[in-house]
């Protein structure tokens, strides 16, 4: 597993050259928060990184309930029993395998790797504006109905799950990148994804950290260009 550190954000990348799947550790003064849990093969690398940093893992936060983001959740919870597991209120249903839609939601099927047999029940259900240490919850639906991003109010970094990808090129989720099309194939609603991407842009993040691809420093202009492309294609 490849580890890349920018500021207090550690990016842990499984299969970086073939099919990059990222999860993140945000280091606080006395504790660690893990954002997403990758694939089953991510387990050893995540545990190794936590051990090497040397602070207790107190939170596990899921940006959304797709298999490549929740793949080691059960195994990690067995080891880090005191870590609080959090997911959005909306995607907590998807974590249980429930793909039904609310009446007010666009009636498009939820796509992507829907989890099967997850045993861990979330300890906390998140909504817009909730905080976990220095991280603030930003609701960024589109890839799934309950996707969230985590904005670090101290550093300005934002971890967006699959609201964007940078593998191939920076793109709003739902936009087809031929060299790495998989996030687009797994996106529920392109129009809502664009609205969520605009929310991220308005926060003026200093660092963009995505589920698939490298982190980008000072991403404002790149996000602006990606938004223009997405709106043109809609």
């Amino acid at each position: 597993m490849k580890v890349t550190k920018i500021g207090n954000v550690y990016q842990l990348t499984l299969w970086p050259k073939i099919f990059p799947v990222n999860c993140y550790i945000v280091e606080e003064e006395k504790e660690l928060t893990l954002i997403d849990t990758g694939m089953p093969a991510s387990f050893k690398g995540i545990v190794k990184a936590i051990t090497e940093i040397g602070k207790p893992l107190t939170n596990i936060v899921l940006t959304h309930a797709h298999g490549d983001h929740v793949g080691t959740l059960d195994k990690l919870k067995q080891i880090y029993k005191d870590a609080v597991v959090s997911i959005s209120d909306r995607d907590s249903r998807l974590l249980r395998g429930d793909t039904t839609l609310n009446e007010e939601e666009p009636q498009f099927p939820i796509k992507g790797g829907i989890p099967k047999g997850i045993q861990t029940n979330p300890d906390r259900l998140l909504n817009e504006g909730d905080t976990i240490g220095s991280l603030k919850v930003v609701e960024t639906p589109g890839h799934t109905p309950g996707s969230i991003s985590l904005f670090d109010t101290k550093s300005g970094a934002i971890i967006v799950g699959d609201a964007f990808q940078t593998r191939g090129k920076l793109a709003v989720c739902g936009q087809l990148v031929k060299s790495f099309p998989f996030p687009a194939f797994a996106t529920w609603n392109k129009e809502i994804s664009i609205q969520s991407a605009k929310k991220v842009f308005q926060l003026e993040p200093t660092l963009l950290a995505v589920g698939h691809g490298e982190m980008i420093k000072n991403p404002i202009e790149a996000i602006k260009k990606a938004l223009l492309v997405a709106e043109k294609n809609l």
Side-chain angles (χ1 to χ4, degrees):
M1 180 172 277
K2 178 183 177 183
V3 179
T4 306
K5 182 177 184 288
I6 298 178
N8 66 328
V9 177
Y10 296 77
Q11 181 190 65
L12 314 180
T13 307
L14 182 69
W15 308 319
K17 295 182 180 180
I18 304 169
F19 191 105
V21 177
N22 298 327
C23 50
Y24 293 89
I25 295 172
V26 175
E27 183 178 5
E28 303 272 12
E29 184 178 353
K30 296 181 180 180
E31 60 191 356
L32 304 176
T33 294
L34 176 67
I35 300 175
D36 290 333
T37 69
M39 303 281 283
S42 304
F43 177 74
K44 289 183 179 180
I46 293 172
V47 173
K48 183 173 184 284
I50 292 168
T51 302
E52 289 180 351
I53 296 169
K55 294 180 181 179
L57 180 71
T58 56
N59 286 283
I60 299 172
V61 186
L62 305 172
T63 61
H64 62 288
H66 274 160
D68 57 334
H69 292 255
V70 304
T72 64
L73 176 61
D74 286 342
K75 289 185 72 175
L76 288 170
K77 185 60 173 175
Q78 288 174 10
I79 295 178
Y80 304 102
K81 299 182 187 299
D82 294 332
V84 175
V85 175
S86 303
I87 192 171
S88 73
D89 193 354
R90 177 62 184 86
D91 258 25
S92 65
R93 284 165 36 196
L94 194 59
L95 188 65
R96 301 193 301 268
D98 179 356
T99 59
T100 60
L101 294 162
N102 298 334
E103 281 188 17
E104 72 277 8
E105 292 174 338
Q107 299 299 298
F108 297 101
I110 299 175
K111 301 176 182 179
I114 308 304
K116 295 180 180 179
I118 297 291
Q119 299 299 309
T120 302
N121 292 316
D123 301 298
R124 184 180 180 190
L125 301 183
L126 301 170
N127 292 286
E128 179 82 18
D130 287 343
T131 57
I132 300 167
S134 64
L135 301 172
K136 180 178 284 189
V137 174
V138 181
E139 292 180 348
T140 48
H143 192 65
T144 66
S147 290
I148 59 171
S149 299
L150 287 308
F151 181 67
D152 192 324
T153 55
K154 291 182 179 178
S155 70
I158 190 165
I159 297 96
V160 299
D162 287 349
F164 291 88
Q165 70 179 78
T166 61
R167 180 69 166 187
K169 66 176 182 178
L170 176 61
V172 177
C173 73
Q175 301 303 305
L176 185 64
V177 178
K178 291 182 179 180
S179 61
F180 196 77
F182 310 104
F185 293 158
T187 294
W188 167 61
N189 188 283
K190 294 180 182 180
E191 187 172 0
I192 292 176
S193 296
I194 292 173
Q195 297 307 311
S196 293
K198 288 179 178 178
K199 284 181 70 175
V200 172
F201 175 75
Q202 289 167 0
L203 288 169
E204 299 184 351
T206 59
L207 179 73
L208 180 69
V210 301
H212 304 281
E214 296 181 355
M215 296 182 282
I216 298 180
K217 294 180 180 179
N218 303 315
I220 297 300
E221 287 303 316
I223 291 174
K224 185 176 181 180
K225 290 178 182 178
L227 274 166
L228 290 172
V229 171
E231 289 185 309
K232 182 180 178 180
N233 291 339
L234 188 62

